[in-house]
Amino acid sequence: MFRKIRLFTPGPTPLLPAAQFAMAAADLHHRTPEFRALYARVLKQLQAFIGTRNDVLVLASSGTGAMEAAVSNLTSPHQHVVVLSAGKFGERWISLAQAFGCEVETVTAPYGESFELDMLRNHIKPGVRTVFVQATESSTGVRHCIPAIAQLARQCNALLVVDAITGFGTTQFDVDGDGVDVILGGSQKALMIPPGLAYLAVSERAWQSMENSRQPRYYFDLRKERKNASKGESSYTPAVALIAALGAALDHIAAQAGGDVAAGRRLLVANAELCAAMTRAAVAALGLELFAPVAPAAALTAVKAPPSMTSTDVVQQCKAQFGAVLADGQGDMKGQLFRIAHIGYFDPLDTLAVIGALEQVLYALLPARVSLGSALTAAQQVYRRAAEGEPSNRCACGRRQAVCLVSAAVATGDQP
Ligand SMILES: *Cc1c(COP(=O)(O)O)cnc(C)c1O
């Protein structure tokens, strides 16, 4: 069959053509005025993309490199840290903190769920020095409420480190207002470029805390990176081509909103929210269930396998029949759920296409359960209502307004 391959995976995501061209043309040396100008400009644009006045750094590594940098720069061996974990990426924080000898207190929510206010209150208490969490847990499609977690961390003077690798470009953050100390991302998600760069914003409190850290670090020594970044340089040879691609991607995001990176990022988030809402409506119309129904992320939608088949069958058939690459469940979730991404270079047309493919695949596998066009109709109706300006009934944390953690705390006159 003649097929066009399309990625619908939550990283790597489809590449922006302008970024690919920039990458191919990036034949420059990194210790030159030309590169310094590019690097300084990209760091400044990234600051607007993240929405912070804190220092922003870029590392030549996958996203996990920035996770490791946060652990190795902010903790000490035997230090008590809290990890909020609700999936494979939460478990990565646990492994990392253990690898650096921290005493790890874990707060776990079952796969597909997020943390309730009481759980958070019971564990984010005075004496805790550092809290690690994901903004969105890409393995289950759930979104955690960063404002509520940040408020608790603030109250007990703990540092908060947020893995926003799939949170950036899909959730609005108030990094400085909420007091998030380290927030980190990776290039192959919302930024529409290949894997290989991690980026992070670091608060003044976190810089001060780093002076007391007793962990070994060399390549990921953030203090050294900060010193060099202020001169438009990186400590070691940067991934020059990826930096050029990043500049083109941030230009593209800005160009969507008249040259304003922050406004472009808000459009990118709204776009992901819309694609996610269309997909959730389609999933319901197909009689399928969401894996994370209470607080679904906009980065991706995770869907439970239909009865009598595995998600691996659905993923294989979408690839075989349409060249559409969906993600299966990770680790022990393989076979139980499939994931469709909305993060980065996707739009409602891509979303309608993948919903159409899913309908066909499920119709072929379960003809009695599926009527062709029902999922597309549901998605079209969501699109129509959004185009007519109907506001979303979900908070920035993904929950319906009635069950949002922050509004629940406000309603009871309580602090989260
Ligand atoms: C993709 C992802 C990572 C892993 O990043 P790598 O770039 O593979 O190191 C970590 N956390 C989350 C939430 C992710 O989605």
Side-chain angles (χ1 to χ4, degrees):
M1 261 192 253
F2 192 88
R3 287 293 175 247
K4 175 173 173 179
I5 298 284
R6 292 175 172 87
L7 290 185
F8 289 97
T9 46
T13 60
L15 300 178
L16 180 76
Q20 292 177 278
F21 297 134
M23 210 156 53
D27 188 12
L28 74 171
H29 192 278
H30 56 289
R31 305 295 179 206
T32 57
E34 293 77 17
F35 181 79
R36 278 185 216 108
L38 168 68
Y39 200 55
R41 180 172 73 82
V42 166
L43 291 176
K44 195 140 191 64
Q45 284 178 308
L46 258 185
Q47 219 177 13
F49 178 74
I50 295 170
T52 185
R53 285 202 295 273
N54 291 340
D55 294 291
V56 171
L57 304 175
V58 174
L59 304 170
S61 73
S62 81
T64 306
M67 294 174 73
E68 174 159 332
V71 172
S72 68
N73 283 266
L74 290 178
T75 70
S76 290
H78 309 298
Q79 187 185 307
H80 179 110
V81 306
V82 168
V83 174
L84 308 177
S85 171
K88 291 290 154 200
F89 294 106
E91 288 158 21
R92 188 167 299 181
W93 276 134
I94 298 173
S95 306
L96 262 167
Q98 285 171 341
F100 282 88
C102 298
E103 306 286 344
V104 185
E105 176 179 346
T106 58
V107 184
T108 52
Y111 288 175
E113 295 178 25
S114 185
F115 314 101
E116 293 307 322
L117 214 46
D118 285 342
M119 300 166 76
L120 297 172
R121 283 197 187 108
N122 288 339
H123 294 273
I124 307 178
K125 292 195 297 207
V128 172
R129 295 276 299 280
T130 316
V131 177
F132 296 92
V133 69
Q134 271 60 44
T136 53
E137 173 52 75
S138 324
S139 67
T140 69
V142 85
R143 177 152 46 179
H144 301 316
C145 185
I146 297 305
I149 295 166
Q151 196 160 339
L152 287 167
R154 200 71 326 100
Q155 281 167 15
C156 58
N157 227 359
L159 294 174
L160 176 63
V161 179
V162 177
D163 163 3
I165 296 180
T166 49
F168 282 131
T170 65
T171 300
Q172 292 294 0
F173 297 111
D174 183 0
V175 176
D176 298 353
D178 286 340
V180 177
D181 295 291
V182 173
I183 187 162
L184 57 97
S187 54
Q188 79 277 31
K189 312 272 172 131
L191 289 170
M192 311 172 276
I193 67 173
L197 292 181
Y199 57 101
L200 66 170
V202 181
S203 75
E204 197 45 50
R205 273 166 14 114
W207 288 120
Q208 283 165 15
S209 159
M210 260 177 238
E211 299 305 320
N212 304 320
S213 163
R214 286 178 284 101
Q215 299 287 11
R217 61 209 120 135
Y218 187 84
Y219 185 72
F220 289 133
D221 188 336
L222 295 179
R223 294 167 303 175
K224 187 169 179 188
E225 208 57 63
R226 178 199 209 186
K227 212 173 284 170
N228 286 303
S230 71
K231 295 177 286 187
E233 298 208 354
S234 61
S235 302
Y236 311 102
T237 308
V240 173
L242 287 170
I243 301 289
L246 183 54
L250 290 163
D251 285 346
H252 174 80
I253 291 169
Q256 302 293 310
D260 179 340
V261 178
R265 175 244 304 152
R266 286 191 282 275
L267 295 179
L268 185 66
V269 172
N271 176 72
E273 294 277 14
L274 174 58
C275 294
M278 290 168 67
T279 305
R280 289 193 298 266
V283 164
L286 288 167
L288 301 180
E289 284 178 53
L290 297 176
F291 192 78
V294 173
L300 71 150
T301 299
V303 185
K304 286 189 189 170
S308 77
M309 74 177 65
T310 67
S311 55
T312 312
D313 298 329
V314 177
V315 171
Q316 276 172 354
Q317 285 305 310
C318 284
K319 175 89 189 289
Q321 291 183 41
F322 293 98
V325 184
L326 276 52
D328 202 347
Q330 276 171 264
D332 39 355
M333 286 179 274
K334 187 171 163 65
Q336 294 177 32
L337 62 117
F338 59 89
R339 296 172 294 153
I340 300 172
H342 322 296
I343 177 172
Y345 199 42
F346 291 108
D347 68 5
L349 276 188
D350 297 315
T351 304
L352 289 172
V354 73
I355 290 168
L358 190 60
E359 260 184 358
Q360 290 288 354
V361 162
L362 290 175
Y363 183 80
L365 294 168
L366 303 162
R369 276 178 61 104
V370 174
S371 84
L372 288 180
S374 60
L376 280 167
T377 301
Q380 291 278 36
Q381 284 164 346
V382 169
Y383 181 85
R384 194 66 247 146
R385 289 198 293 273
E388 287 166 6
E390 183 179 289
S392 157
N393 64 354
R394 285 181 190 272
C395 285
C397 63
R399 296 179 187 232
R400 287 188 199 285
Q401 261 136 22
V403 291
C404 161
L405 292 197
V406 176
S407 24
V410 170
T412 56
D414 202 359
Q415 296 288 314

